Amino acid sequence: MPETASDMAAAGQTSRRLFYYNAGFLTQPRIRRILELAGHDLRLGVPDLNDRIAVWGHSPYAARGEAMARQTGAGLVRIEDAFLRSVHPGRSGEAPLGLVIDSRGIHFNPDQPSDLEVLLATHPLDDSALLEAARSAMARLQEADLSKYNAHDPDADPPAPGYVLLIDQTRGDASVSHGRADANTFREMLFHAHQDNPGARIVIKTHPETVAGHRQGYFDAATLALAPGADVTLLDAPVSPRTLLEGAVAVYTVSSQMGFEAILAGHRPYVFGQPFYAGWGLSEDFTPIQRRQRRLTRAQLFAAAMILYPVWYDPCRDRLCSLDQAISLLEAQVRAWREDRHGWQASGMRLWKRGAVNGFYGGVKPVLFREGLPKHGRRAMVWASKVGDAPQGTVRIEDGFLRSRGLGADLVAPLSLVCDDLGIYYDPRGPSRLERMIAARANMRPDQSRRAQDLMAALVAQGVSKYNLGQAAPDIAAQAAGRPVILVPGQVEDDASILAGAGEIRTNRALLETARADHPEAFLIYKPHPDVEAGLRPGLLPDADRLADLVATQTDPAALLGQIDTVWTMTSLLGFEALIRGRRVVTLGAPFYAGWCLTEHRGPAMPRRGQRVSLEGLVHAALIDYPRYRDPVSGLPCPAEVAVERLAQGEIAQGGLTNRLLAKLQGLLAGHAYLWR
């Protein structure tokens, strides 16, 4: 029989009745849903001997369930937030990303071993795949700067390095009272920090819930007087915990989770309470727990606490998930908060785009659509093609590379957008944020390469491309009769990527003629751009059949890519999609994917792009790091993998009749833009 909640969920065990007497289990749908998915049938009423009773940790209301358990003989299950929770604390109203569901005790109460302590004490923790997953997740959390709570301000100035870091907690917290600690313990910790580090600066980090005004901490101005002569500072600025740990020479804690994070950051913290991470040879413990004698590595501690013990939840797909998937989800949510926390003022946005832009960037404050200098501390954004005389520091916005099931020119809302604070990806005349991200991925961790490989495999298997339109492709092999097959994608000839990034070849006709001249023996396929086919943008080539063996109108580009050998392109995204499918690509312009030793480049020189980058590095930068995705089902920021699933399954809002009529009108009036923009 599975022993932990994660075991039970993995085994698909039949639902067990779980009774509760705390209102939170009734009023918080996320918690109820996680418990249901973990195999628990939540009930009100009186349990039988074989049933279980849920209580929230050791909260004041847990006594109700504890009393009922004693009365009926039903088992007790203690539930708490997992160690990677949300952007803001739970008392700010945010739902958790995961739970710990403990049938023995709870991790912060050492009175009896919890499920986590049993794992740490008895599980082999020697499986190479488990430990590799732990090390990879640790690296991901560090790179993304993720902690339990994540409303960190990237602009907040940390103290100068070289300080001793003390971690404050909230008064009355169960992890303090059940960890053999009280207010005197915090005073003792301050005294020891001062005595152990004479002359050192001491920085006391205030708990986020104290900063938010929810609960009082143990340290205030009065308690600082208990260390006369010490250089002590209270820090309530929203500085990242990881940044604080990097600058610390020593870390002191009672039972805070930051002590766990200190271990992961390479510290050996001084621990004055009895938290779950004490007693395994990774900390200096002032109140040892004698039954904990095993010596563990950081990866083993992490594997038990973050992979084996919790149950993680995917709010986009409404299912339980792995820690790796949970990190991807939290990364997307935290990125959105950090980028949007000051609010945005947007200019150069057509009316139909504003709803989508607000959906992406208005999660903290609604986007203000107006021209001119930004007000009230907001950041400025502009649609990239409308940058004009935008104020310095304005961020450029554009569609991402996995966009929709339908055309932007048909007024179909995007599933992804990119925001670039340096330039924009299609303009090689200056650096862009994407260009720097690609260069940074010249060196990849194994887990990053695997994630990119898995994403590419999903794209190919599901036949996903940028717009996901068109009919099935014809049988090219039968028509080509053994000749090499070259795909020449047409483009919108006044598109910004052509104006900024094309070389000497700047028209669809010239591109097709060049490909034919270079390969007179090849079977040439010309694929008109969907916007041009729809009559919405210029670039029509009416006599393409004179140069090409096949004009693939109304054809799904992803279906074509599976049957060709080479793509010849100016700057089309189809070149990138061809690379993902292992095809040879010849570039005559300077698209973002050229210049990294992945294409046969015949376009303008790009001296900034000197690194050799793997295909996995290119894909990670372009599809995972650079864009922001918004799940059309849940409305939440989401990772690329969710976007691919939505595109493959068709769970995307299509442009309605009104949008299609507006798009046609837009095409007719393209030469009179002042009338409709």
Side-chain angles (χ1 to χ4, degrees):
M1 177 177 176
E3 294 187 348
T4 67
S6 55
D7 291 336
M8 184 174 174
Q13 183 165 314
T14 303
S15 176
R16 293 189 59 177
R17 299 200 307 176
L18 187 66
F19 288 80
Y20 62 93
Y21 307 97
N22 293 34
F25 292 113
L26 181 64
T27 60
Q28 297 190 46
R30 172 73 64 82
I31 292 174
R32 290 181 62 87
R33 184 58 178 153
I34 297 174
L35 290 171
E36 289 169 358
L37 290 169
H40 299 286
D41 178 12
L42 285 122
R43 301 284 188 94
L44 289 169
V46 179
D48 293 331
L49 183 64
N50 293 324
D51 294 323
R52 294 188 175 191
I53 295 172
V55 297
W56 190 262
H58 281 283
S59 72
Y61 304 106
R64 301 171 184 169
E66 292 166 351
M68 185 62 75
R70 289 192 297 269
Q71 179 181 334
T72 63
L76 201 63
V77 176
R78 296 192 189 273
I79 297 164
E80 270 282 355
D81 292 330
F83 302 126
L84 193 66
R85 189 190 188 283
S86 51
V87 178
H88 300 280
R91 291 177 184 271
S92 297
E94 246 184 277
L97 189 62
L99 297 175
V100 298
I101 308 171
D102 202 310
S103 60
R104 290 187 176 90
I106 195 65
H107 62 83
F108 56 75
N109 185 355
D111 285 348
Q112 62 192 50
S114 64
D115 285 346
L116 176 54
E117 184 174 334
V118 171
L119 284 169
L120 290 167
T122 66
H123 194 288
L125 297 174
D126 60 356
D127 180 78
S128 58
L130 174 66
L131 295 180
E132 176 58 29
R135 285 187 283 268
S136 297
M138 290 164 60
R140 288 193 66 187
L141 293 175
Q142 180 178 10
E143 182 182 44
D145 193 11
L146 297 181
S147 182
K148 182 175 184 178
Y149 308 122
N150 295 280
H152 319 139
D153 188 342
D155 297 330
D157 292 327
Y163 48 83
V164 175
L165 180 64
L166 269 66
I167 313 300
D168 196 7
Q169 294 177 245
T170 55
R171 282 186 179 269
D173 188 80
S175 73
V176 175
S177 57
H178 288 277
R180 309 288 191 274
D182 55 21
N184 288 328
T185 310
F186 284 82
R187 298 188 187 100
E188 180 185 4
M189 178 172 67
L190 176 57
F191 173 80
H192 275 279
H194 179 44
Q195 293 297 311
D196 296 345
N197 303 275
R201 288 178 294 129
I202 297 176
V203 173
I204 300 176
K205 177 65 177 77
T206 305
H207 193 279
E209 289 189 355
T210 303
V211 176
H214 297 307
R215 293 197 286 179
Q216 187 180 4
Y218 285 95
F219 288 111
D220 55 25
T223 58
L224 301 189
L226 299 173
D231 179 5
V232 185
T233 303
L234 279 175
L235 179 68
D236 58 6
V239 178
S240 156
R242 292 184 181 275
T243 301
L244 283 176
L245 291 169
E246 287 174 2
V249 296
V251 177
Y252 288 72
T253 183
V254 172
S255 58
S256 168
Q257 186 182 314
M258 272 193 71
F260 174 51
E261 295 179 8
I263 291 173
L264 303 182
H267 287 281
R268 187 178 180 87
Y270 297 87
V271 180
F272 288 75
Q274 295 184 328
F276 74 88
Y277 52 82
W280 311 107
L282 296 166
S283 57
E284 296 292 341
D285 304 324
F286 281 73
T287 314
I289 303 170
Q290 295 305 321
R291 65 176 181 267
R292 299 182 186 174
Q293 297 296 324
R294 190 180 185 188
R295 294 296 175 259
L296 300 173
T297 65
R298 285 183 292 159
Q300 289 174 318
L301 177 66
F302 184 93
M306 299 292 284
I307 297 176
L308 300 178
Y309 185 46
V311 172
W312 299 106
Y313 175 69
D314 181 339
C316 294
R317 302 175 176 101
D318 186 32
R319 68 189 188 198
L320 298 185
C321 66
S322 67
L323 171 62
D324 204 45
Q325 292 167 329
I327 292 173
S328 296
L329 290 156
L330 189 59
E331 276 179 333
Q333 295 172 23
V334 170
R335 175 184 176 182
W337 183 85
R338 289 176 184 168
E339 292 182 356
D340 303 344
R341 68 192 186 282
H342 298 306
W344 291 95
Q345 179 172 309
S347 59
M349 304 285 175
R350 297 176 185 173
L351 287 174
W352 75 271
K353 291 180 178 178
R354 295 184 180 186
V357 169
N358 192 60
F360 272 85
Y361 300 101
V364 180
K365 300 176 182 178
V367 176
L368 178 62
F369 294 95
R370 67 183 300 275
E371 306 300 316
L373 294 172
K375 294 186 176 182
H376 311 299
R378 291 173 177 264
R379 298 178 70 190
M381 66 163 59
V382 64
W383 200 260
S385 60
K386 308 297 178 186
V387 64
D389 297 324
Q392 187 174 5
T394 298
V395 172
R396 294 163 175 81
I397 304 297
E398 252 294 348
D399 290 332
F401 307 129
L402 298 173
R403 188 192 184 280
S404 54
R405 293 185 70 86
L407 302 174
D410 267 338
L411 311 191
V412 176
L415 188 68
S416 67
L417 291 172
V418 302
C419 52
D420 200 309
D421 59 334
L422 295 178
I424 194 65
Y425 69 86
Y426 57 71
D427 188 347
R429 295 171 296 185
S432 69
R433 180 57 59 185
L434 175 56
E435 190 174 80
R436 294 196 179 178
M437 287 176 169
I438 294 171
R441 292 301 182 198
N443 297 305
M444 296 269 282
R445 299 192 310 268
D447 64 286
Q448 293 169 329
S449 293
R450 284 194 300 271
R451 186 179 180 191
Q453 289 165 1
D454 290 345
L455 185 61
M456 287 190 285
L459 290 168
V460 174
Q462 301 292 345
V464 171
S465 61
K466 181 173 183 178
Y467 295 118
N468 304 284
L469 285 176
Q471 304 167 357
D475 185 354
I476 304 299
Q479 298 185 47
R483 299 155 64 192
V485 181
I486 295 176
L487 174 63
V488 180
Q491 294 186 243
V492 177
E493 292 184 350
D494 67 349
D495 189 74
S497 72
I498 296 293
L499 301 178
E504 294 181 2
I505 305 300
R506 308 183 67 85
T507 66
N508 292 327
R509 181 180 299 280
L511 173 65
L512 192 55
E513 288 174 344
T514 303
R516 173 54 78 196
D518 202 79
H519 292 280
E521 80 295 350
F523 185 86
L524 251 60
I525 304 172
Y526 179 69
K527 173 72 178 75
H529 191 279
D531 283 350
V532 176
E533 282 190 274
L536 302 173
R537 303 285 297 277
L540 185 65
L541 193 56
D543 60 342
D545 56 353
R546 185 176 60 83
L547 293 165
D549 297 281
L550 173 66
V551 179
T553 57
Q554 305 297 320
T555 305
D556 179 5
L560 282 174
L561 290 173
Q563 302 188 68
I564 59 98
D565 301 304
T566 306
V567 168
W568 275 61
T569 182
M570 293 180 284
T571 62
S572 171
L573 186 65
L574 266 177
F576 176 56
E577 296 177 347
L579 288 174
I580 290 174
R581 289 157 176 84
R583 301 299 183 254
R584 172 174 170 255
V585 177
V586 179
T587 49
L588 284 79
F592 71 87
Y593 53 85
W596 310 104
C597 303
L598 293 169
T599 66
E600 184 178 317
H601 186 58
R602 303 187 184 185
M606 294 175 286
R608 290 189 309 274
R609 304 180 190 178
Q611 298 94 329
R612 178 180 291 274
V613 177
S614 67
L615 179 58
E616 290 83 1
L618 176 69
V619 168
H620 202 292
L623 297 183
I624 296 174
D625 301 329
Y626 190 46
R628 278 175 52 174
Y629 298 93
R630 182 172 182 264
D631 177 21
V633 176
S634 66
L636 295 171
C638 69
E641 291 83 356
V642 172
V644 171
E645 286 186 20
R646 299 304 190 209
L647 288 168
Q649 296 163 4
E651 296 179 291
I652 308 294
Q654 300 286 331
L657 177 61
T658 300
N659 273 9
R660 289 195 296 273
L661 291 174
L662 285 173
K664 291 295 185 183
L665 182 62
Q666 170 182 307
L668 291 172
L669 298 179
H672 307 278
Y674 65 92
L675 294 175
W676 54 277
R677 288 181 179 171

